[in-house]
Amino acid sequence: QVQLVESGGGLVQAGDSLRLSCVASGRTFSRYSMGWFRQPPGKEREFVGAINWSGGSTYYADSVTGRFTVSRDDVKNTCYLQMNSLKPEDTAVYYCAADKTTASALRVTDPDYWGQGTQVTVSS
């Protein structure tokens, strides 16, 4: 079992930066690929980015490529989502997720473990 807790959301202005954190419980964090997803108001949840268990590979949705970065610190059992040049359309509830599959597969599969989500609101 893996429990995930996100933090770092908030209200920011367009063009600002924000870093989300996801702390995982358990001693096997390094065996999991980590993903970030988001659900905009009135829309379905969508893939944002993912990093594999070794940290050697990352994948991003086209809408965030070049602006968002996923990273991990296995000593701290923490995954991060650095968001730069935020836009109003980035407004959503952001979720982190964990799965033993590859980071590439997280783009199309439903991860086993989810956090509770953190709200990010970007004003224009």
Side-chain angles (χ1 to χ4, degrees):
Q1 288 286 342
V2 176
Q3 292 184 326
L4 305 172
V5 179
E6 304 99 331
S7 63
L11 172 63
V12 297
Q13 294 186 332
D16 285 351
S17 297
L18 205 59
R19 188 177 79 161
L20 305 183
S21 299
C22 174
V23 179
S25 66
R27 293 174 288 181
T28 59
F29 175 73
S30 62
R31 300 180 186 177
Y32 289 84
S33 292
M34 300 297 296
W36 287 94
F37 297 77
R38 68 186 182 186
Q39 187 166 17
K43 297 183 179 180
E44 294 186 351
R45 188 162 55 196
E46 62 186 20
F47 171 80
V48 175
I51 187 167
N52 72 351
W53 53 83
S54 70
S57 297
T58 54
Y59 298 88
Y60 299 97
D62 290 343
S63 58
V64 306
T65 297
R67 299 188 299 121
F68 290 13
T69 303
V70 180
S71 61
R72 64 188 298 155
D73 184 336
D74 288 352
V75 173
K76 296 182 178 180
N77 275 16
T78 302
C79 181
Y80 303 99
L81 179 66
Q82 177 67 44
M83 304 184 292
N84 298 329
S85 302
L86 282 161
K87 305 175 181 180
E89 50 264 43
D90 294 319
T91 295
V93 177
Y94 283 73
Y95 300 88
C96 74
D99 199 286
K100 288 189 175 180
T101 188
T102 64
S104 177
L106 283 176
R107 295 177 295 176
V108 295
T109 60
D110 201 20
D112 286 338
Y113 303 103
W114 293 88
Q116 83 289 350
T118 185
Q119 176 70 47
V120 172
T121 303
V122 184
S123 64
S124 59

